[in-house]
Amino acid sequence: MAAYLQWRRFVFFDRETVKEPSGSDGAGGKPFVLPPGIAVCDSGRGSLVFGDILHGGIWSLPRSLQLSSFQAYKLRVTHLYQLKQHSILVSVGEDEEGINPLVKVWNLEKRDGGNPLCTRIFPAIPGNKPTVVSCLTVHENLNFMAIGFADGSVVLTKGDITRDRHSKTQILHEGSYPVTGLAFRQSGKTTHLFVVTTENIQSYMLSVKDYPRLELDTHGCGLRCSSLSDPSQDLQFIVAGNECVYLYQPDERGPCFAFEGQKLIVHWYRGYLIVVSKDRKTSPKSEFAGNEAQNSDKQVLNIYDLCNKFIAYSSIFDDIVDVLAEWGSLYVLTRDGKIHVLQEKDTQTKLEARKSICFMLFRKNLFEMAINLAKSHHLDSDGLSEIFRQYGDHLYNKGNHDGAIQQYIRTIGKLEPSYVIRKFLDAQRIHNLTAYLQTLHLQSLANADHTTLLLNCYTKLKDSSKLEEFIKTSESEVRFDVETAIKVLRQAGYYSHAVYLAEKHTHHEWYLKIQLEDIKNYQEALCYIGKLPFDQAESNMKRYGKILMHHVPNETTELLKILCTDYRPSGDSEGSGMLEGKKANSEEFIPVFANNSRELKAFLEHMTEVQADSPQGVYDTLLELRLQNWAHERDEQIKEKLHSEALTLLKSRRFKTVFDKALVLCQMHNFKDGVLYLYEQGKLFQQIMHYHMQNEQYKKVIEVCELYGDQEACLWEQALGYFARKEEDCKEYIAAVLKHIENKNLMPPLLVVQTLAHNSTATLSVIKDYLVNKLQKQSRQIEQDEQRIQKYREETTRIRQEIEELKASPKIFQKTKCSICTSALELPSVHFLCGHSFHQHCFESYSESDSECPTCMPENRKVMDMIRAQEQKRDLHDQFQHQLKCANDGFSVVADYFGRGVFNKLTLITDLPPGKAATTIEAGLQRELLLHAKRST
């Protein structure tokens, strides 16, 4: 057994964080971060492959760092295995909760709809017993696949693993302990399968029938704590326990190495053994999985050279997910999604370091001499650090703690600080620890934990001078995490020191927290907010506004007024006059005034005065506040003033877009004038009248009808119905309504009588005058209609006689003068049946048509245009319906349309065929008829 504590430590690897590739503009340099949810990974074929445990996706990262993915499962991916010699990826995951996990085989070189081709899918279950998959391995010849389960079973697939038809699956191993590791070993034509559980190790010979089994040991390891070495170690199976690392041949156990510590991950890479372990020791028996991947403690990655017995590299990482080997380097994936690359140094560098260290090791206890020799031989800093560490250990063991801490201080930057800190945590050695931590901070190598520890040392020692010296260094010399220091000082009760740091280093949130929650200095906190830039002042007022309003309401209100109108930091006197002031959204600060209605009213009134375009919420809240004050006020004079203020605000025309909201507020507080005003603005005249009806204000009802009756004629009808339903004596009001209905002819008399029939107090005398006037009007209308009918009949008889004369008797043309030039007629001349005669040359000069009289043509065209207009209006149904709906007498509208021939089919004869004299006469007669009808109207 070889103890690793005696092994030499080297730094044969360079560690870097993988950065994002530079863009076309040269931007880059940020750490490359994987998507969240990455829990499993593997590498091979020029890519790093990652499995998403949150969404079931598989991500591929080539060397160009162009990340791509495809959806492999609906829920999660739990295991991945990338073959090194084939573009085949095997995955295990879940598509549904409570359903057995599925094994999928992907051919990465073939595509199916843009995703890799899935060549095989089968459930991962040993027999009929559902259990959890714990590990997976695949032989590079694609003829074997082994799946381990938490119930101790191992399922072996033999044959072509990419196809269902050419493979056979069977249960190879059954046991009581979870399977934590599997590995195929190929030696010539012999194939072995190593199976490790939490309690034992076996090997199976797969090249022989019945697969003989051999138990190699009676202890096992946790998940991911086993691996197969390369031919440099004779393909031995490596199992890492918490005390030792064991190597196994298929038929026997090989050497072991005493590497202490709880192992989390074990891999083999180019002759190196890679071990990830915890800093602190835990019992492997307490957990099924030895890799407690969820733990946030720091982890140590060691790279061992087992042949030469030295440690090639050792480093601390935060929560390692896995270590992958690709492109000639090691890639360490941490839980925060970052990837760290470990690049092996060139051979010449490693050889020079080993020679110098070997020379130094001959001087084990002569440390001073060893240091001088190392320096004379130009030993690198790592070698010197190791000498200082051993010298410090030597002095520490002898009890010389002061001398030891001086040597440990010389190791800063190389030796892990926790190695030294653990030795000096005793209260009697706190001054030594303080000296070490001070130097660590001076060299800017301290982290937040070191800062916390140093400040705690100062507070334990009550060394206020050192504490002030530490925190009051100039800004360029700050070598510690300021936020951590503030937290520690606040927790220790050093509020003034914490406030000093927060103010000096512009940690505004911490400054305000301490001032408001610990010191309770509200005035100072408010002044501090007033000095901040606009964005930070706005956010902090939203966060702490309620507390400040409770303790310093007036000052807080004033600051909010400035913040929402024209804010400039109070401390920036030089730049405040040059920069334009910014203003916050005043509506967002209304919740700050909870339980401070007086200050809220002052704030809102100020905003409406200086900023007319304030958000609508400001006006809404101000209206609600004024209505509340008006409703609860008892003093009549003050109440009248509040009434006037509320009504003035309503009339400011700021509530057009929120009409309903303003109306609800007025109704909630029974603000009658406001309700009536809003009704009027919204042209809700019926609501105004209904409001007065509910309050039985009869005169107001009549006034509303008189004011708005022209816009809504139905108001008079509703008023009549309202008074008709009243059992009281409303004759006066009924008479007024009837008078207006009569004047405007709003209702038929029969409907009026039916409406008033519901009133038991209304007698016939109430509508006597209305009915008498109505009957008299109708009588007069009947007489006028009869006279008009008689006149039309006589006119019709006359016209018919003229038509008959034209048809039966000859027409004698006795005109002696031309109707155009009024000169005596001379042949040739033109005569028309209408009685007009013309010289032929006059007719040809002035006539537009050979068949029409130039004198009668304008009047005839008017009649023809009327006929055409009537023809066009026949299909104007919408216009007819609108007129019928709006008219007081719908029958008269229908009669008018009938009279205009809208409902008749009319044929117009415009062009006369030659040789049809009778038709010509008919057309002339028709024109005469139309002309007579036009004159009579």
Side-chain angles (χ1 to χ4, degrees):
M1 178 181 295
Y4 86 103
L5 291 176
Q6 300 176 357
W7 287 19
R8 309 286 76 77
R9 290 178 178 268
F10 299 94
V11 183
F12 287 169
F13 287 81
D14 293 323
R15 171 180 170 177
E16 293 182 3
T17 302
V18 177
K19 306 289 185 180
E20 291 184 356
S22 299
S24 59
D25 56 352
K30 295 182 180 179
F32 182 85
V33 180
L34 291 171
I38 300 300
V40 293
C41 52
D42 203 354
S43 62
R45 307 296 293 176
S47 295
L48 307 181
V49 186
F50 308 99
D52 189 345
I53 201 171
L54 297 179
H55 306 292
I58 293 180
W59 300 79
S60 178
L61 183 67
R63 195 164 192 174
S64 62
L65 301 182
Q66 300 298 322
L67 194 63
S68 61
S69 68
F70 65 93
Q71 191 70 31
Y73 296 89
K74 295 180 180 179
L75 291 182
R76 60 185 62 89
V77 180
T78 58
H79 296 79
L80 289 175
Y81 193 94
Q82 172 67 59
L83 277 78
K84 305 300 183 286
Q85 301 176 13
H86 303 275
S87 295
I88 298 295
L89 174 66
V90 182
S91 64
V92 180
E94 298 175 14
D95 281 335
E96 297 182 34
E97 292 287 355
I99 305 301
N100 296 322
L102 297 176
V103 179
K104 297 185 180 182
V105 182
W106 308 87
N107 189 332
L108 302 180
E109 292 182 345
K110 297 182 179 180
R111 292 286 163 178
D112 181 13
N115 295 332
L117 176 64
C118 183
T119 62
R120 183 180 182 186
I121 303 177
F122 63 93
I125 178 173
N128 296 323
K129 300 179 296 182
T131 183
V132 178
V133 175
S134 58
C135 53
L136 167 73
T137 188
V138 182
H139 200 291
E140 287 293 335
N141 62 11
L142 299 179
N143 287 328
F144 292 103
M145 179 194 301
I147 304 174
F149 296 88
D151 66 348
S153 304
V154 176
V155 173
L156 178 68
T157 300
K158 185 177 181 181
D160 188 353
I161 65 166
T162 62
R163 300 181 182 178
D164 290 321
R165 296 182 179 180
H166 302 284
S167 62
K168 180 180 179 182
T169 300
Q170 66 181 90
I171 298 177
L172 176 67
H173 172 82
E174 291 183 329
S176 303
Y177 305 106
V179 179
T180 58
L182 297 168
F184 287 108
R185 182 182 189 273
Q186 186 71 39
S187 179
K189 295 184 179 181
T190 303
T191 304
H192 288 88
L193 173 64
F194 291 100
V195 179
V196 57
T197 68
T198 56
E199 299 296 333
N200 51 47
I201 304 170
Q202 299 95 17
S203 70
Y204 289 85
M205 184 179 293
L206 304 182
S207 54
V208 178
K209 191 178 180 181
D210 298 333
Y211 308 144
R213 179 179 71 90
L214 177 64
E215 183 169 356
L216 300 177
D217 217 330
T218 57
H219 59 80
C221 65
L223 285 174
R224 301 196 298 174
C225 289
S226 61
S227 183
L228 191 72
S229 68
D230 59 17
S232 66
Q233 281 289 334
D234 198 19
L235 297 174
Q236 296 185 89
F237 187 56
I238 303 169
V239 177
N242 286 343
E243 292 80 16
C244 297
V245 174
Y246 301 91
L247 277 65
Y248 296 91
Q249 294 288 351
D251 53 355
E252 63 178 355
R253 191 176 84 174
C256 68
F257 300 88
F259 301 151
E260 295 183 356
Q262 182 180 355
K263 312 301 187 299
L264 303 178
I265 302 173
V266 172
H267 287 294
W268 187 267
Y269 169 74
R270 291 186 177 180
Y272 292 114
L273 175 64
I274 302 159
V275 178
V276 177
S277 59
K278 288 186 177 182
D279 267 349
R280 53 188 178 86
K281 298 178 181 179
T282 58
S283 173
K285 306 290 184 179
S286 61
E287 298 170 356
F288 154 53
N291 57 323
E292 190 179 356
Q294 301 297 330
N295 199 314
S296 61
D297 290 343
K298 292 186 179 298
Q299 298 166 358
V300 181
L301 184 144
N302 289 319
I303 302 178
Y304 300 98
D305 187 331
L306 300 184
C307 294
N308 300 305
K309 293 183 173 54
F310 65 86
I311 300 174
Y313 183 77
S314 179
S315 183
I316 304 294
F317 290 88
D318 290 328
D319 209 355
I320 297 176
V321 176
D322 209 342
V323 182
L324 305 176
E326 193 65 26
W327 310 309
S329 302
L330 291 173
Y331 292 86
V332 182
L333 171 63
T334 54
R335 189 68 58 184
D336 57 5
K338 295 181 180 179
I339 303 176
H340 306 271
V341 59
L342 300 180
Q343 180 71 41
E344 190 174 6
K345 294 182 179 181
D346 59 275
T347 306
Q348 183 64 30
T349 302
K350 292 188 291 184
L351 288 176
E352 291 177 358
R354 289 182 62 184
K355 290 178 181 178
S356 301
I357 295 295
C358 289
F359 183 82
M360 180 272 296
L361 289 176
F362 285 109
R363 309 291 190 271
K364 279 187 179 180
N365 295 319
L366 300 176
F367 295 102
E368 294 292 346
M369 185 180 296
I371 292 171
N372 294 332
L373 287 173
K375 288 182 177 180
S376 64
H377 285 80
H378 304 288
L379 185 66
D380 61 7
S381 57
D382 292 324
L384 283 172
S385 176
E386 180 63 19
I387 298 174
F388 295 140
R389 183 193 66 80
Q390 293 190 22
Y391 190 17
D393 291 345
H394 175 70
L395 295 175
Y396 181 85
N397 293 331
K398 291 176 64 177
N400 185 2
H401 299 138
D402 293 338
I405 202 67
Q406 295 301 320
Q407 299 304 319
Y408 288 135
I409 287 174
R410 300 171 76 178
T411 67
I412 289 176
K414 299 300 178 182
L415 181 62
E416 175 59 36
S418 59
Y419 178 86
V420 179
I421 293 172
R422 282 197 299 267
K423 293 178 177 289
F424 292 91
L425 287 177
D426 193 301
Q428 296 178 353
R429 305 165 191 165
I430 193 171
H431 63 281
N432 298 125
L433 180 59
T434 304
Y436 179 81
L437 293 172
Q438 283 177 340
T439 309
L440 197 65
H441 281 82
L442 288 174
Q443 297 187 20
S444 301
L445 296 174
N447 57 29
D449 293 331
H450 300 148
T451 302
T452 302
L453 189 58
L454 178 58
L455 292 174
N456 283 328
C457 289
Y458 284 142
T459 56
K460 293 287 185 183
L461 293 172
K462 299 182 186 285
D463 194 346
S464 299
S465 61
K466 285 286 186 182
L467 179 60
E468 291 187 6
E469 181 184 351
F470 177 73
I471 66 173
K472 292 187 177 181
T473 54
S474 64
E475 187 174 349
S476 60
E477 298 176 353
V478 174
R479 299 183 179 91
F480 58 88
D481 186 80
V482 176
E483 186 173 358
T484 302
I486 294 173
K487 290 179 182 178
V488 176
L489 291 171
R490 184 190 183 196
Q491 187 176 5
Y494 286 79
Y495 300 130
S496 60
H497 296 78
V499 165
Y500 171 82
L501 275 180
E503 184 176 11
K504 178 180 179 181
H505 298 284
T506 64
H507 286 259
H508 308 308
E509 183 178 355
W510 281 109
Y511 180 90
L512 293 172
K513 271 187 178 182
I514 298 170
Q515 288 283 18
L516 295 174
E517 298 175 10
D518 300 320
I519 305 178
K520 310 292 185 184
N521 192 342
Y522 305 105
Q523 188 66 47
E524 188 65 31
L526 191 64
C527 294
Y528 185 82
I529 293 176
K531 299 176 183 178
L532 297 178
F534 172 77
D535 294 334
Q536 296 175 1
E538 181 186 24
S539 62
N540 282 295
M541 282 305 295
K542 290 178 181 179
R543 182 175 303 171
Y544 301 109
K546 289 185 179 180
I547 300 175
L548 294 169
M549 183 62 66
H550 179 71
H551 292 91
V552 282
N554 295 330
E555 293 83 353
T556 304
T557 304
E558 291 302 318
L559 179 58
L560 286 175
K561 289 179 181 179
I562 298 173
L563 188 64
C564 296
T565 53
D566 186 18
Y567 179 79
R568 292 180 177 86
S570 59
D572 188 10
S573 58
E574 296 181 0
S576 59
M578 299 173 60
L579 298 176
E580 182 180 354
K582 297 183 179 180
K583 58 183 179 180
N585 186 347
S586 53
E587 185 178 0
E588 296 178 355
F589 293 97
I590 292 177
V592 171
F593 293 88
N595 303 321
N596 294 81
S597 57
R598 182 174 61 86
E599 287 76 13
L600 175 59
K601 183 181 179 183
F603 172 73
L604 296 177
E605 289 177 346
H606 173 79
M607 293 307 303
T608 54
E609 290 173 4
V610 303
Q611 189 175 321
D613 59 342
S614 294
Q616 185 62 44
V618 172
Y619 287 91
D620 295 344
T621 309
L622 181 58
L623 176 62
E624 183 177 4
L625 197 60
R626 287 184 175 179
L627 291 175
Q628 286 179 355
N629 295 339
W630 172 83
H632 294 92
E633 184 58 50
R634 301 300 179 189
D635 190 316
E636 291 299 328
Q637 293 182 353
I638 300 177
K639 189 163 187 172
E640 182 63 27
K641 181 182 178 183
L642 294 173
H643 177 281
S644 176
E645 290 178 353
L647 196 58
T648 302
L649 181 60
L650 275 177
K651 293 181 179 180
S652 64
R653 300 185 177 275
R654 291 294 307 184
F655 298 93
K656 291 183 178 180
T657 58
V658 288
F659 173 83
D660 295 338
K661 185 175 182 179
L663 184 59
V664 170
L665 288 174
C666 292
Q667 291 173 341
M668 285 174 55
H669 296 88
N670 198 22
F671 190 58
K672 297 180 181 179
D673 292 345
V675 171
L676 292 175
Y677 172 77
L678 291 173
Y679 280 160
E680 182 180 357
Q681 293 299 307
K683 297 185 178 181
L684 304 176
F685 306 130
Q686 295 189 33
Q687 279 78 357
I688 297 176
M689 190 170 70
H690 290 164
Y691 177 83
H692 292 309
M693 287 178 177
Q694 291 174 357
N695 293 281
E696 298 185 351
Q697 298 174 343
Y698 301 151
K699 291 184 178 180
K700 292 289 185 180
V701 172
I702 299 299
E703 290 177 2
V704 170
C705 291
E706 292 174 347
L707 287 173
Y708 312 116
D710 294 338
Q711 301 181 49
E712 284 195 39
C714 62
L715 293 178
W716 290 102
E717 300 175 13
Q718 294 178 11
L720 181 62
Y722 169 71
F723 290 123
R725 289 191 297 272
K726 287 295 180 181
E727 296 299 329
E728 303 173 9
D729 187 4
C730 300
K731 295 180 181 180
E732 177 186 353
Y733 305 108
I734 293 176
V737 175
L738 286 176
K739 183 179 180 181
H740 192 86
I741 290 176
E742 179 186 353
N743 294 334
K744 297 294 184 180
N745 196 20
L746 299 178
M747 295 175 64
L750 182 59
L751 182 58
V752 172
V753 175
Q754 290 176 348
T755 302
L756 290 176
H758 297 289
N759 191 326
S760 61
T761 63
T763 61
L764 188 60
S765 61
V766 176
I767 60 171
K768 177 182 177 181
D769 295 339
Y770 169 77
L771 292 176
V772 169
N773 293 334
K774 199 69 178 177
L775 291 174
Q776 290 176 352
K777 285 184 179 180
Q778 290 182 355
S779 298
R780 289 193 294 270
Q781 183 67 38
I782 290 172
E783 291 177 0
Q784 294 175 1
D785 291 344
E786 287 178 349
Q787 293 175 2
R788 191 178 291 112
I789 290 170
Q790 183 63 29
K791 180 181 177 182
Y792 289 160
R793 283 176 178 174
E794 294 175 357
E795 185 73 18
T796 302
T797 302
R798 185 182 61 78
I799 293 174
R800 284 178 178 173
Q801 290 176 357
E802 291 181 2
I803 293 174
E804 289 297 328
E805 290 178 1
L806 290 173
K807 287 182 178 180
S809 302
K811 177 70 175 178
I812 299 174
F813 302 103
Q814 297 178 346
K815 288 283 186 177
T816 59
K817 292 184 179 183
C818 176
S819 298
I820 294 177
C821 66
T822 66
S823 299
L825 282 175
E826 297 177 358
L827 294 176
S829 59
V830 179
H831 304 276
F832 285 90
L833 291 175
C834 60
H836 296 107
S837 300
F838 309 92
H839 292 114
Q840 185 175 1
H841 63 85
C842 290
F843 175 75
E844 291 175 352
S845 300
Y846 290 95
S847 176
E848 296 180 5
S849 174
D850 295 338
S851 60
E852 289 190 70
C853 173
T855 304
C856 300
M857 184 174 63
E859 192 66 26
N860 291 342
R861 285 190 176 180
K862 289 182 181 179
V863 176
M864 296 301 295
D865 290 340
M866 290 174 59
I867 295 174
R868 291 190 182 93
Q870 291 178 1
E871 182 71 18
Q872 293 174 358
K873 291 181 179 178
R874 288 181 180 181
D875 295 329
L876 301 180
H877 303 294
D878 293 341
Q879 182 179 357
F880 170 74
Q881 292 291 340
H882 178 71
Q883 292 183 4
L884 187 63
K885 183 177 179 181
C886 297
N888 295 329
D889 188 0
F891 183 80
S892 63
V893 176
V894 176
D896 179 59
Y897 272 79
F898 266 107
R900 286 154 58 185
V902 174
F903 303 103
N904 299 332
K905 185 175 182 181
L906 180 65
T907 303
L908 295 179
I909 302 175
T910 56
D911 296 330
L912 296 176
K916 293 187 177 181
T919 308
T920 306
I921 294 174
E922 290 290 340
L925 292 174
Q926 188 173 2
R927 291 191 190 95
E928 289 295 329
L929 179 60
L930 290 171
L931 289 174
H932 281 289
K934 178 66 179 176
R935 293 192 192 100
S936 65
T937 57

